[in-house]
Amino acid sequence: MTLSPACVPVAAPGVRRLTATLYGYAFLDEFVLLYPVYALLFADTGLSVGQMSSLFVLWSATGVLLEVPSGAWADAVSRRLLLWLGPLLGAAGFALWVFVPSYWAFAAGFVLWGARGALGSGALEALVYEELERLGAADRYARIMGRAQAAGQIAVMTAMALAGPVFAAYGYPAVGAASVLACLLCAATATRFPEHRGAATAVPDVSDVPDVPDDEGWAASLRSGLGEARRDRSVRGALLLVPAVAAVWGALDEYTPLLARDTGAADATIPYLLVMVWAGVTAGSLLAGPAERLGRRGFGALLATSALALAAGAGTGTPAGLALVAVAFGGFQLATVLADARLQQRIEGTGRATLTSVAGLGTELTTITVYGTYAQLASTTAHGTAFALLAVPYLLVAVLVALRR
């Protein structure tokens, strides 16, 4: 007899274990003291905005090359394996940045960081959704992932708050060492993820050993995922929505320290201004559960309002304007979580990580375009003007989403 989700007695403990590990992993994954100062490290090493943008392009290009293959790999083998391997690559990259700072060390670090992101992209979402589905709690995915991203954003804010005094007292080596340690702890936490690759309706098995079908290889996983996208128009639409929402603001995030510096703020206060921005992002993540009820017009209104707030806040050229940037980033983060949840709900086959990685690939390709565009804009205008101009694509996406049947 098949048990309904409500009748599975160990579902609640299973969900608690999954979410506790997920929240810890998300926090440590983002608890990187280098985040608010690495653009400053690049500038202090003598890099121009164009050279920085080339590093960001290299970072995204690494993701482009590895995104879909790593997603298919995650569908073919253990997703948990990829989740603990990725942070180790990040630790190596951060160590290179701080202890041998140069353009080529930064480039190598971004390649490692790009590989880290590709290994986790798709694998994490697929593992969490299928574990929740197995426990009869798939309807909680958006809320749980929103909270996980909020945990990561709280980590970012905590790291930013700590980065100021640590950097002032001990410089780049101290913030780098703390970042490497966080990556190592993140990898250790990933080993605690439960992973079962059986039926969603089965009574949970508390074993940590994942049940991966032996006849599903990398190529078969890739074909399965891409085949579902070809057959199902709703899946294709959801795949396109993810990069349309996530790419531009995700790229602009890399330039927020430079935007803050352009307002006349002192370097020592920039991490605190960025904490305000990430407080907005955190609020957006926490609203994901209630906001699932937004229809297409509501979703379009969310994007349009966020775009206007970004343009207005960045265009002021003052530290106070960053409050509106925080509101905008919060709206974009909320839209990103909702777009991912809608994609997961539409995937029905076995290629979940593959398809999620395809969406990630689209995001990386779009992000590369944004980096190149930003480099051109920032060479002739202020950073605030560049931010405002790059809010325009969101207005176009908002109209398309609101009008699309």
Side-chain angles (χ1 to χ4, degrees):
M1 179 179 69
T2 301
L3 296 176
S4 67
C7 298
V8 180
V10 292
V15 171
R16 284 197 296 268
R17 176 190 171 183
L18 173 64
T19 55
T21 305
L22 174 64
Y23 298 157
Y25 181 87
F27 183 91
L28 291 168
D29 191 44
E30 299 290 352
F31 188 65
V32 179
L33 270 65
L34 272 170
Y35 280 172
V37 298
Y38 71 76
L40 305 180
L41 170 63
F42 298 163
D44 291 343
T45 307
L47 273 61
S48 66
V49 173
Q51 287 176 311
M52 291 186 212
S53 294
S54 72
L55 291 174
F56 297 152
V57 169
L58 177 63
W59 182 19
S60 291
T62 303
V64 166
L65 292 174
L66 299 179
E67 186 77 43
V68 175
S70 67
W73 188 23
D75 281 331
V77 298
S78 168
R79 291 160 181 166
R80 184 174 55 201
L81 169 66
L82 274 62
L83 292 177
W84 67 255
L85 180 60
L88 298 180
L89 299 181
F94 293 149
L96 282 174
W97 283 3
V98 173
F99 299 112
V100 284
S102 66
Y103 179 86
W104 295 110
F106 298 148
F110 270 120
V111 169
L112 291 169
W113 196 0
R116 169 194 182 176
L119 290 178
S121 175
L124 180 64
E125 294 87 348
L127 185 149
V128 172
Y129 189 89
E130 291 186 359
E131 286 297 310
L132 288 173
E133 189 177 39
R134 182 182 64 85
L135 296 165
D139 59 333
R140 298 173 59 185
Y141 175 82
R143 184 181 302 273
I144 288 172
M145 289 303 289
R147 289 175 178 175
Q149 295 202 24
Q153 288 136 18
I154 290 171
V156 171
M157 291 188 293
T158 305
M160 287 176 176
L162 291 174
V166 171
F167 176 68
Y170 305 107
Y172 291 117
V175 294
S179 301
V180 170
L181 178 60
C183 290
L184 297 178
L185 292 175
C186 183
T189 302
T191 64
R192 299 300 304 154
F193 271 116
E195 185 176 16
H196 306 79
R197 304 290 286 276
T201 57
V203 176
D205 176 5
V206 296
S207 170
D208 280 334
V209 180
D211 180 16
V212 183
D214 293 334
D215 57 349
E216 288 290 331
W218 178 87
S221 297
L222 183 61
R223 287 194 300 269
S224 174
L226 297 180
E228 184 173 359
R230 285 195 300 269
R231 293 188 302 270
D232 193 329
R233 182 179 179 181
S234 68
V235 172
R236 290 199 302 274
L239 283 173
L240 292 173
L241 183 61
V242 172
V245 170
V248 175
W249 84 273
L252 290 178
D253 171 51
E254 305 305 324
Y255 300 100
T256 49
L258 301 179
L259 175 66
R261 178 182 269 180
D262 233 21
T263 65
D267 286 355
T269 65
I270 287 176
Y272 302 108
L273 292 173
L274 299 184
V275 167
M276 177 176 63
V277 173
W278 279 94
V281 177
T282 303
S285 295
L286 293 174
L287 290 172
E292 277 193 287
R293 294 188 294 270
L294 285 177
R296 56 186 174 84
R297 291 182 179 177
F299 193 90
L302 172 65
L303 288 178
T305 302
S306 302
L308 293 174
L310 177 63
T316 64
T318 65
L322 291 176
L324 280 176
V325 176
V327 172
F329 275 27
F332 294 140
Q333 170 64 15
L334 173 57
T336 300
V337 175
L338 294 178
D340 170 59
R342 294 179 185 190
L343 173 61
Q344 299 303 326
Q345 291 162 2
R346 284 161 175 75
I347 298 173
E348 296 181 353
T350 60
R352 184 175 302 279
T354 301
L355 283 172
T356 306
S357 291
V358 170
L361 173 62
T363 301
E364 294 291 351
L365 289 172
T366 309
T367 299
I368 289 174
T369 303
V370 177
Y371 287 148
T373 302
Y374 192 93
Q376 292 296 318
L377 292 173
S379 66
T380 57
T381 65
H383 289 287
T385 304
F387 269 68
L389 290 173
L390 286 169
V392 174
Y394 280 114
L395 295 175
L396 301 177
V397 174
V399 172
L400 292 174
V401 169
L403 297 179
R404 181 179 179 271
R405 292 183 180 180

